[in-house]
Amino acid sequence: MVTGSGRGLPDEQGYVEWLTEQVAERVRREVREDMPLIECGLDSVALLGLYGEAEEAFGPLPDHPLEVWPYTTIRNLARRLAGRDRALRSDGRIRTALVFTGQGCQHPRMTEGLHRHCTAYRHHLAAADAALAPHLGRSVVELVRGGDPLIHQTELAQPALFAVGYALAMTLLEEGVEPVAVLGHGVGEFAAATVSGALPLAAAAELVACRGAFMQHLPVGGGMMATCADPFEAAEAATSEPGVSIGAINAARATVLSGDIAGLERARRRLADLGIASTFLKVTHAFHSPLMEPVAPRLEALARRMPVTAPTIPYYSTVYGREYDGPLDAGYWSRQITSPVRFADAARALLAEQRPSHVVEIGPQAVLTPFLRRMGGPRGPRCLTVCRDPHTNAVDLAGTLSALNAGPLANDETTPD
């Protein structure tokens, strides 16, 4: 077996070879490294057996088997194992990943405490405001601070979240945080792309403002429903509903269905018959579904006028569920509107490949952190939220910066908690 760690452990290709041999032996046929494990023919008993043998040979695996079974391939599992080995050999340096939240976490007076007490945040929010104003027709700062329930309307929520995410991230970067990777959920991808260097602020602001307006003026009647189902259970519940599809996969048993309301209601009853809970989200449209298709060509035409650049910081795409190093061009943003949000795949890939010591959720409140903590497990990165609620202030920000070994008290010899 190939070894690459100096500790008797394989490198990534060595893990691929071992896993391929083991899976083929269990299913008694040839398998490929790019096949999802569930398509290789492993049942749950065989999968547990494979995990048991792998842990006996190489030590604890990074995930519970049922957590990754529906998604991972032999190659991806091998990459996680190799990444785990690299993490065990970590030199103790802070490695920070930034994860940007999407629509749904907005609320009146979000980030009010930081705006009052943090000069850097005010400065960066004002920069985003200036970039958005020509397209929005109003001040996003006044919107964010004003307590207006209109903040929940799509055409305002999306640019407001973009401005807040951008300003929070740039505040961290100004204080010395150097992200090793970025990841955005839904509209959070635009702030992630801007921070990664793939989109200039002015271009991102125009795209986000127009995107929100285009979506706002689609016909009503669509919705989204969060479920405690895995993707296969959710898809089965929606199989006879042509107007319903998977809108997001946030974790192993956190799948969002998106589509017409009547179809979602029927899918909800089917899930309830299986004892699976679900709840409707407070949205007016079926985001990340085929019902968004009328918006796609309009946004693509707009995006063709924008500068096309590849990210300079590793960018994990929730369109593809993996690192994406190509240019974030018009075609990408068009696909992003109708594609399901593959957050779980992208987050797992980021954790395995970048091995961050810390993951910071960038947004007005914590919604993704519980998923990230579960994916990372007890040996995973420390998960922080830069803003918990409207009362988060400069003192709280200083605590986050201290944990990241950034800010005025940074010490190059400090190691992660």
Side-chain angles (χ1 to χ4, degrees), residues 126-391:
D129 189 10
L132 285 163
H135 316 290
L136 201 59
R138 62 182 298 170
S139 167
V140 77
V141 172
E142 293 177 2
L143 174 67
V144 166
R145 300 192 66 201
D148 194 332
L150 288 176
I151 192 73
H152 296 296
Q153 290 191 1
T154 296
E155 63 183 344
L156 299 178
Q158 292 190 9
L161 286 169
F162 167 77
V164 165
Y166 170 82
L168 290 172
M170 294 305 296
T171 300
L172 295 185
L173 268 60
E174 182 177 315
E175 293 293 343
V177 174
E178 298 180 357
V180 298
V182 296
L183 164 64
H185 191 294
V187 73
E189 282 211 80
F190 287 88
T194 307
V195 171
S196 77
L199 275 180
L201 174 59
E206 184 175 359
L207 283 173
V208 170
C210 293
R211 182 184 191 266
F214 293 161
M215 290 181 173
Q216 179 74 39
H217 293 96
L218 284 173
V220 296
M224 302 183 78
M225 184 174 73
T227 80
C228 295
D230 66 36
F232 301 95
E233 292 168 334
E236 181 68 22
T239 189
S240 60
E241 304 297 339
V244 175
S245 59
I246 289 179
I249 303 172
N250 293 325
R253 300 197 67 86
T255 306
V256 178
L257 289 175
S258 185
D260 67 83
I261 295 294
L264 288 172
E265 286 282 9
R266 289 189 291 269
R268 184 182 191 183
R269 290 194 291 270
R270 294 188 191 103
L271 290 171
D273 289 342
L274 299 173
I276 297 174
S278 57
T279 183
F280 278 91
L281 301 179
K282 293 181 179 180
V283 297
T284 56
H285 294 84
F287 303 119
H288 299 285
S289 81
L291 293 180
M292 293 287 108
E293 286 177 358
V295 170
R298 299 177 66 188
L299 190 72
E300 184 169 354
L302 177 65
R304 286 198 192 101
R305 300 193 286 101
M306 304 299 175
V308 176
T309 313
T312 57
I313 298 171
Y315 182 91
Y316 281 78
S317 161
T318 53
V319 176
Y320 296 104
R322 57 172 171 79
E323 183 180 359
Y324 185 81
D325 57 6
L328 295 174
D329 57 12
Y332 182 89
W333 297 116
S334 173
R335 288 187 294 275
Q336 200 252 7
I337 289 175
T338 56
S339 298
V341 178
R342 297 177 58 186
F343 176 77
D345 287 347
R348 289 193 182 96
L350 184 156
L351 295 177
E353 295 166 12
Q354 299 299 330
R355 310 175 312 281
S357 61
H358 294 67
V359 176
V360 184
E361 181 169 355
I362 305 294
Q365 60 180 316
V367 294
L368 300 175
T369 296
F371 298 136
L372 293 163
R373 284 187 176 134
R374 182 178 175 187
M375 291 175 199
R379 291 191 174 191
R382 181 177 177 186
C383 296
L384 305 170
T385 56
V386 71
C387 183
R388 294 187 306 275
D389 55 44
H391 305 295

Side-chain angles (χ1 to χ4, degrees), residues 43-193:
D43 60 21
S44 58
V45 174
L47 183 72
L48 289 169
L50 173 66
Y51 262 64
E53 289 198 9
E55 291 193 322
E56 184 176 344
F58 308 121
L61 300 195
D63 302 281
H64 187 279
L66 298 181
E67 184 79 8
V68 300
W69 180 28
Y71 319 114
T72 197
T73 62
I74 287 174
R75 170 63 70 177
N76 285 342
L77 181 55
R79 186 172 294 126
R80 286 182 196 168
L81 287 168
R84 173 211 60 173
D85 296 341
R86 290 191 295 269
L88 292 174
R89 300 190 300 276
S90 170
D91 59 8
R93 293 185 181 179
I94 299 289
R95 293 178 55 81
T96 304
L98 305 182
V99 178
F100 295 77
T101 54
Q103 190 170 349
C105 66
Q106 72 279 351
H107 57 81
R109 296 191 176 87
M110 55 185 177
T111 69
E112 175 65 17
L114 286 170
H115 192 273
R116 283 178 178 273
H117 303 294
C118 180
T119 302
Y121 177 71
R122 283 199 303 274
H123 167 75
H124 292 297
L125 189 64
D129 189 10
L132 285 163
H135 316 290
L136 201 59
R138 62 182 298 170
S139 167
V140 77
V141 172
E142 293 177 2
L143 174 67
V144 166
R145 300 192 66 201
D148 194 332
L150 288 176
I151 192 73
H152 296 296
Q153 290 191 1
T154 296
E155 63 183 344
L156 299 178
Q158 292 190 9
L161 286 169
F162 167 77
V164 165
Y166 170 82
L168 290 172
M170 294 305 296
T171 300
L172 295 185
L173 268 60
E174 182 177 315
E175 293 293 343
V177 174
E178 298 180 357
V180 298
V182 296
L183 164 64
H185 191 294
V187 73
E189 282 211 80
F190 287 88

Side-chain angles (χ1 to χ4, degrees), residues 20-31:
T20 301
E21 180 181 344
Q22 293 296 319
V23 172
E25 182 178 329
R26 279 169 170 75
V27 300
R28 299 186 181 279
R29 65 182 178 90
E30 185 177 344
V31 297

